[in-house]
Amino acid sequence: MRTFRALAAALVVAALVALPAGPAAAHGGKVKLTVAGDGAGGVTVMAVYADGHRLDQLVRLTLTAEGEGGRTAGPVQIEPSGEGQGFYSSGPLLSPGDWRVTVSAPAPYRSTATAQVQARVAQSPSPVAAERPAAETREAGAGWWRWPAGGLAVVVVAGSALLWWRRRTHPGPGEPVGLDG
């Protein structure tokens, strides 16, 4: 029993020594931030650990921006976007023009990135592009009845086969019984 306790204690100590202080410590403690415009008035950021691995923790990134004529935006905390781990998006934030955008990550990550971003007015889809999805939706919805009809056909065929098999193996009253002989 004493040997078991000593072994268990040694395993606990080894695990505590082997475990890093946190995700940042496992990757050197820094993140690399890549800042870019989103094509309209927003900013996107890709954050990875300095060693190139994907960011697997939520980091509270802060954005500030300086524009032409003394315009400023922020500080604003930007949110993770739906593109995947380590992708962040500000949403519409900047008015049209050239901006110097700085994004920073707090401790334990301690990282800052700056980029020139040209904000533009968001483009609306052209009437032709707006009509195309509607036409495609109509065409895609035209065959909705095929799935229920196919299911009904499968049920009818399976039911008919089952009734035929039952009638063949278990004749009803008044039906001749096949004699082998």
Side-chain angles (χ1 to χ4, degrees):
M1 187 68 163
R2 181 178 283 177
T3 306
F4 178 71
R5 285 185 188 164
L7 182 60
L11 285 174
V12 169
V13 170
L16 290 175
V17 169
L19 289 176
H27 296 280
K30 290 197 83 167
V31 293
K32 179 183 174 192
L33 303 172
T34 305
V35 180
D38 68 356
V43 176
T44 60
V45 178
M46 186 176 81
V48 296
Y49 288 110
D51 62 6
H53 288 103
R54 284 188 181 179
L55 191 66
D56 56 356
Q57 297 290 318
L58 177 68
V59 177
R60 299 193 179 279
L61 299 178
T62 304
L63 178 144
T64 56
E66 299 172 4
E68 304 164 327
R71 297 178 297 166
T72 61
V76 170
Q77 181 177 331
I78 57 176
E79 299 295 322
S81 66
E83 278 86 27
Q85 288 179 320
F87 287 94
Y88 292 79
S89 177
S90 71
L93 176 69
L94 307 174
S95 59
D98 290 325
W99 291 85
R100 184 172 188 252
V101 178
T102 302
V103 177
S104 58
Y109 303 101
R110 294 277 183 222
S111 184
T112 302
T114 302
Q116 288 296 123
V117 172
Q118 184 177 15
R120 297 180 180 100
V121 176
Q123 300 293 314
S124 61
S126 67
V128 173
E131 290 175 14
R132 184 175 300 137
E136 290 171 1
T137 303
R138 280 194 302 269
E139 290 172 8
W144 68 267
W145 56 270
R146 291 180 183 149
W147 286 101
L152 182 62
V154 168
V155 169
V156 167
V157 168
S160 298
L162 180 63
L163 288 174
W164 176 79
W165 175 79
R166 181 161 187 219
R167 185 175 175 122
R168 185 162 166 86
T169 58
H170 302 292
E175 292 183 19
V177 177
L179 297 174
D180 292 336

